[in-house]
mmCIF file of all heavy atoms in Angstrom:
data_model
loop_
_atom_site.group_PDB
_atom_site.id
_atom_site.type_symbol
_atom_site.label_atom_id
_atom_site.label_comp_id
_atom_site.label_asym_id
_atom_site.label_seq_id
_atom_site.Cartn_x
_atom_site.Cartn_y
_atom_site.Cartn_z
ATOM 1 N N LEU A 734 -5.411 8.051 -8.415
ATOM 2 C CA LEU A 734 -4.491 7.318 -9.154
ATOM 3 C C LEU A 734 -4.839 7.420 -10.612
ATOM 4 O O LEU A 734 -3.980 7.634 -11.570
ATOM 5 C CB LEU A 734 -4.520 5.838 -8.695
ATOM 6 C CG LEU A 734 -3.194 5.047 -8.933
ATOM 7 C CD1 LEU A 734 -1.990 5.763 -8.277
ATOM 8 C CD2 LEU A 734 -3.409 3.560 -8.418
ATOM 9 N N GLU A 735 -6.057 7.247 -10.957
ATOM 10 C CA GLU A 735 -6.577 7.106 -12.338
ATOM 11 C C GLU A 735 -6.376 8.681 -13.010
ATOM 12 O O GLU A 735 -5.921 8.587 -14.161
ATOM 13 C CB GLU A 735 -8.025 6.788 -12.337
ATOM 14 C CG GLU A 735 -8.620 6.445 -13.735
ATOM 15 C CD GLU A 735 -7.804 5.328 -14.440
ATOM 16 O OE1 GLU A 735 -7.330 4.414 -13.687
ATOM 17 O OE2 GLU A 735 -7.778 5.382 -15.770
ATOM 18 N N VAL A 736 -6.607 9.613 -12.259
ATOM 19 C CA VAL A 736 -6.449 10.964 -12.791
ATOM 20 C C VAL A 736 -4.978 11.116 -13.154
ATOM 21 O O VAL A 736 -4.665 11.689 -14.297
ATOM 22 C CB VAL A 736 -6.874 12.071 -11.766
ATOM 23 C CG1 VAL A 736 -6.579 13.327 -12.363
ATOM 24 C CG2 VAL A 736 -8.301 11.777 -11.438
ATOM 25 N N ILE A 737 -4.136 10.844 -12.275
ATOM 26 C CA ILE A 737 -2.620 10.932 -12.513
ATOM 27 C C ILE A 737 -2.299 10.159 -13.781
ATOM 28 O O ILE A 737 -1.536 10.589 -14.639
ATOM 29 C CB ILE A 737 -1.829 10.511 -11.272
ATOM 30 C CG1 ILE A 737 -2.161 11.501 -10.145
ATOM 31 C CG2 ILE A 737 -0.343 10.658 -11.615
ATOM 32 C CD1 ILE A 737 -1.309 11.231 -8.928
ATOM 33 N N ARG A 738 -2.657 8.879 -13.768
ATOM 34 C CA ARG A 738 -2.317 8.029 -14.844
ATOM 35 C C ARG A 738 -2.758 8.628 -16.263
ATOM 36 O O ARG A 738 -1.984 8.566 -17.204
ATOM 37 C CB ARG A 738 -3.054 6.669 -14.757
ATOM 38 C CG ARG A 738 -2.298 5.651 -14.019
ATOM 39 C CD ARG A 738 -2.936 4.418 -14.032
ATOM 40 N NE ARG A 738 -2.386 3.583 -12.937
ATOM 41 C CZ ARG A 738 -3.115 2.569 -12.296
ATOM 42 N NH1 ARG A 738 -4.335 2.355 -12.709
ATOM 43 N NH2 ARG A 738 -2.606 1.807 -11.270
ATOM 44 N N ARG A 739 -3.929 9.247 -16.362
ATOM 45 C CA ARG A 739 -4.427 9.806 -17.545
ATOM 46 C C ARG A 739 -3.709 11.124 -17.922
ATOM 47 O O ARG A 739 -3.418 11.408 -19.164
ATOM 48 C CB ARG A 739 -5.880 9.973 -17.481
ATOM 49 C CG ARG A 739 -6.636 8.679 -17.687
ATOM 50 C CD ARG A 739 -8.021 8.842 -18.135
ATOM 51 N NE ARG A 739 -9.004 8.127 -17.366
ATOM 52 C CZ ARG A 739 -10.271 8.365 -17.277
ATOM 53 N NH1 ARG A 739 -10.704 9.538 -18.018
ATOM 54 N NH2 ARG A 739 -11.096 7.654 -16.577
ATOM 55 N N VAL A 740 -3.414 11.933 -16.950
ATOM 56 C CA VAL A 740 -2.892 13.311 -17.188
ATOM 57 C C VAL A 740 -1.422 13.273 -17.218
ATOM 58 O O VAL A 740 -0.844 13.933 -18.095
ATOM 59 C CB VAL A 740 -3.474 14.378 -16.231
ATOM 60 C CG1 VAL A 740 -2.935 15.674 -16.482
ATOM 61 C CG2 VAL A 740 -4.987 14.346 -16.259
ATOM 62 N N HIS A 741 -0.819 12.716 -16.194
ATOM 63 C CA HIS A 741 0.572 12.826 -16.029
ATOM 64 C C HIS A 741 1.498 12.651 -17.257
ATOM 65 O O HIS A 741 2.444 13.482 -17.556
ATOM 66 C CB HIS A 741 0.986 12.017 -14.868
ATOM 67 C CG HIS A 741 2.420 12.287 -14.235
ATOM 68 N ND1 HIS A 741 2.763 13.616 -13.891
ATOM 69 C CD2 HIS A 741 3.411 11.549 -14.207
ATOM 70 C CE1 HIS A 741 4.075 13.572 -13.496
ATOM 71 N NE2 HIS A 741 4.511 12.347 -13.632
ATOM 72 N N PRO A 742 1.287 11.539 -17.950
ATOM 73 C CA PRO A 742 2.193 11.247 -19.122
ATOM 74 C C PRO A 742 2.190 12.360 -20.253
ATOM 75 O O PRO A 742 3.177 12.637 -20.823
ATOM 76 C CB PRO A 742 1.668 10.025 -19.690
ATOM 77 C CG PRO A 742 0.984 9.446 -18.628
ATOM 78 C CD PRO A 742 0.284 10.482 -17.801
ATOM 79 N N ARG A 743 0.943 13.022 -20.365
ATOM 80 C CA ARG A 743 0.852 14.009 -21.415
ATOM 81 C C ARG A 743 1.242 15.371 -20.967
ATOM 82 O O ARG A 743 1.654 16.272 -21.700
ATOM 83 C CB ARG A 743 -0.532 13.970 -21.877
ATOM 84 C CG ARG A 743 -0.871 12.865 -22.911
ATOM 85 C CD ARG A 743 -2.239 13.026 -23.402
ATOM 86 N NE ARG A 743 -3.212 12.616 -22.499
ATOM 87 C CZ ARG A 743 -4.589 12.798 -22.575
ATOM 88 N NH1 ARG A 743 -5.047 13.398 -23.479
ATOM 89 N NH2 ARG A 743 -5.422 12.312 -21.636
ATOM 90 N N HIS A 744 1.035 15.613 -19.669
ATOM 91 C CA HIS A 744 1.258 17.066 -19.101
ATOM 92 C C HIS A 744 2.226 16.979 -17.926
ATOM 93 O O HIS A 744 1.694 17.107 -16.896
ATOM 94 C CB HIS A 744 -0.028 17.681 -18.807
ATOM 95 C CG HIS A 744 -0.962 17.914 -19.910
ATOM 96 N ND1 HIS A 744 -0.721 18.684 -20.920
ATOM 97 C CD2 HIS A 744 -1.913 17.117 -20.446
ATOM 98 C CE1 HIS A 744 -1.646 18.665 -21.795
ATOM 99 N NE2 HIS A 744 -2.461 17.699 -21.516
ATOM 100 N N LEU A 745 3.376 16.872 -18.193
ATOM 101 C CA LEU A 745 4.403 16.610 -17.061
ATOM 102 C C LEU A 745 4.479 17.961 -16.189
ATOM 103 O O LEU A 745 4.893 17.930 -15.053
ATOM 104 C CB LEU A 745 5.758 16.318 -17.446
ATOM 105 C CG LEU A 745 5.913 14.884 -18.104
ATOM 106 C CD1 LEU A 745 7.244 14.618 -18.791
ATOM 107 C CD2 LEU A 745 5.736 13.843 -16.950
ATOM 108 N N GLU A 746 4.101 19.061 -16.805
ATOM 109 C CA GLU A 746 4.218 20.321 -16.143
ATOM 110 C C GLU A 746 3.216 20.503 -15.053
ATOM 111 O O GLU A 746 3.292 21.288 -14.060
ATOM 112 C CB GLU A 746 4.191 21.580 -17.069
ATOM 113 C CG GLU A 746 2.794 21.827 -17.781
ATOM 114 C CD GLU A 746 2.417 20.920 -18.936
ATOM 115 O OE1 GLU A 746 3.194 19.925 -19.028
ATOM 116 O OE2 GLU A 746 1.360 21.259 -19.608
ATOM 117 N N VAL A 747 2.100 19.764 -15.111
ATOM 118 C CA VAL A 747 1.045 19.938 -14.021
ATOM 119 C C VAL A 747 1.455 18.959 -12.834
ATOM 120 O O VAL A 747 1.657 17.760 -13.030
ATOM 121 C CB VAL A 747 -0.348 19.308 -14.571
ATOM 122 C CG1 VAL A 747 -1.286 19.336 -13.451
ATOM 123 C CG2 VAL A 747 -0.720 20.155 -15.677
ATOM 124 N N LYS A 748 1.667 19.583 -11.638
ATOM 125 C CA LYS A 748 2.096 18.862 -10.392
ATOM 126 C C LYS A 748 0.831 18.428 -9.624
ATOM 127 O O LYS A 748 -0.142 19.107 -9.519
ATOM 128 C CB LYS A 748 2.887 19.713 -9.665
ATOM 129 C CG LYS A 748 4.125 20.419 -10.380
ATOM 130 C CD LYS A 748 5.206 19.335 -10.639
ATOM 131 C CE LYS A 748 6.511 20.157 -10.976
ATOM 132 N NZ LYS A 748 6.456 20.973 -12.097
ATOM 133 N N PHE A 749 1.112 17.275 -9.018
ATOM 134 C CA PHE A 749 -0.093 16.747 -8.117
ATOM 135 C C PHE A 749 0.342 16.662 -6.785
ATOM 136 O O PHE A 749 1.351 16.255 -6.497
ATOM 137 C CB PHE A 749 -0.451 15.356 -8.653
ATOM 138 C CG PHE A 749 -1.132 15.295 -10.061
ATOM 139 C CD1 PHE A 749 -0.390 15.123 -11.206
ATOM 140 C CD2 PHE A 749 -2.478 15.369 -10.057
ATOM 141 C CE1 PHE A 749 -0.967 15.111 -12.345
ATOM 142 C CE2 PHE A 749 -3.114 15.392 -11.326
ATOM 143 C CZ PHE A 749 -2.297 15.258 -12.557
ATOM 144 N N LEU A 750 -0.542 17.103 -5.905
ATOM 145 C CA LEU A 750 -0.388 17.058 -4.495
ATOM 146 C C LEU A 750 -1.563 16.185 -3.850
ATOM 147 O O LEU A 750 -2.733 16.668 -4.125
ATOM 148 C CB LEU A 750 -0.338 18.423 -3.879
ATOM 149 C CG LEU A 750 -0.128 18.391 -2.239
ATOM 150 C CD1 LEU A 750 0.953 17.794 -1.812
ATOM 151 C CD2 LEU A 750 -0.218 19.869 -1.837
ATOM 152 N N ALA A 751 -1.289 15.124 -3.421
ATOM 153 C CA ALA A 751 -2.367 14.206 -2.837
ATOM 154 C C ALA A 751 -2.855 14.840 -1.545
ATOM 155 O O ALA A 751 -1.951 15.121 -0.601
ATOM 156 C CB ALA A 751 -1.934 12.766 -2.703
ATOM 157 N N LEU A 752 -4.128 14.900 -1.406
ATOM 158 C CA LEU A 752 -4.721 15.479 -0.165
ATOM 159 C C LEU A 752 -5.793 14.497 0.252
ATOM 160 O O LEU A 752 -6.772 14.389 -0.470
ATOM 161 C CB LEU A 752 -5.330 16.861 -0.601
ATOM 162 C CG LEU A 752 -5.967 17.680 0.419
ATOM 163 C CD1 LEU A 752 -4.893 18.103 1.514
ATOM 164 C CD2 LEU A 752 -6.472 18.922 -0.122
ATOM 165 N N SER A 753 -5.507 13.780 1.411
ATOM 166 C CA SER A 753 -6.527 12.782 1.562
ATOM 167 C C SER A 753 -6.832 12.488 3.059
ATOM 168 O O SER A 753 -6.040 12.960 3.901
ATOM 169 C CB SER A 753 -5.925 11.471 0.947
ATOM 170 O OG SER A 753 -6.676 10.375 1.355
ATOM 171 N N VAL A 754 -7.940 11.742 3.263
ATOM 172 C CA VAL A 754 -8.214 11.418 4.608
ATOM 173 C C VAL A 754 -7.800 9.963 4.809
ATOM 174 O O VAL A 754 -7.806 9.357 5.910
ATOM 175 C CB VAL A 754 -9.736 11.682 4.874
ATOM 176 C CG1 VAL A 754 -10.521 10.613 4.158
ATOM 177 C CG2 VAL A 754 -10.034 11.648 6.357
ATOM 178 N N SER A 755 -7.547 9.356 3.720
ATOM 179 C CA SER A 755 -7.203 7.854 3.760
ATOM 180 C C SER A 755 -5.801 7.571 4.167
ATOM 181 O O SER A 755 -4.740 8.239 3.615
ATOM 182 C CB SER A 755 -7.355 7.201 2.361
ATOM 183 O OG SER A 755 -6.501 6.213 2.222
ATOM 184 N N ASP A 756 -5.619 6.920 5.173
ATOM 185 C CA ASP A 756 -4.181 6.618 5.575
ATOM 186 C C ASP A 756 -3.713 5.343 5.229
ATOM 187 O O ASP A 756 -2.804 4.832 5.776
ATOM 188 C CB ASP A 756 -4.177 6.805 7.120
ATOM 189 C CG ASP A 756 -4.024 8.250 7.537
ATOM 190 O OD1 ASP A 756 -3.586 9.059 6.713
ATOM 191 O OD2 ASP A 756 -4.524 8.666 8.552
ATOM 192 N N ALA A 757 -4.357 4.581 4.302
ATOM 193 C CA ALA A 757 -3.876 3.320 3.901
ATOM 194 C C ALA A 757 -2.548 3.488 3.182
ATOM 195 O O ALA A 757 -2.596 4.162 2.093
ATOM 196 C CB ALA A 757 -5.054 2.605 2.992
ATOM 197 N N ALA A 758 -1.622 2.763 3.682
ATOM 198 C CA ALA A 758 -0.259 2.944 3.150
ATOM 199 C C ALA A 758 -0.155 2.571 1.680
ATOM 200 O O ALA A 758 0.491 3.202 0.832
ATOM 201 C CB ALA A 758 0.666 2.113 3.926
ATOM 202 N N GLU A 759 -0.981 1.547 1.314
ATOM 203 C CA GLU A 759 -0.947 1.086 -0.073
ATOM 204 C C GLU A 759 -1.350 2.232 -1.031
ATOM 205 O O GLU A 759 -0.829 2.325 -2.143
ATOM 206 C CB GLU A 759 -1.880 -0.118 -0.172
ATOM 207 C CG GLU A 759 -1.895 -0.832 -1.436
ATOM 208 C CD GLU A 759 -2.955 -1.877 -1.586
ATOM 209 O OE1 GLU A 759 -3.349 -2.268 -0.471
ATOM 210 O OE2 GLU A 759 -3.180 -2.269 -2.621
#
Side-chain angles (χ1 to χ4, degrees):
Chain A
L734 201 60
E735 189 60 31
V736 177
I737 299 186
R738 273 190 195 145
R739 284 204 226 157
V740 177
H741 194 57
R743 280 184 285 167
H744 299 282
L745 287 170
E746 72 279 12
V747 177
K748 309 283 200 301
F749 292 91
L750 175 61
L752 183 65
S753 170
V754 75
S755 152
D756 280 331
E759 188 183 343

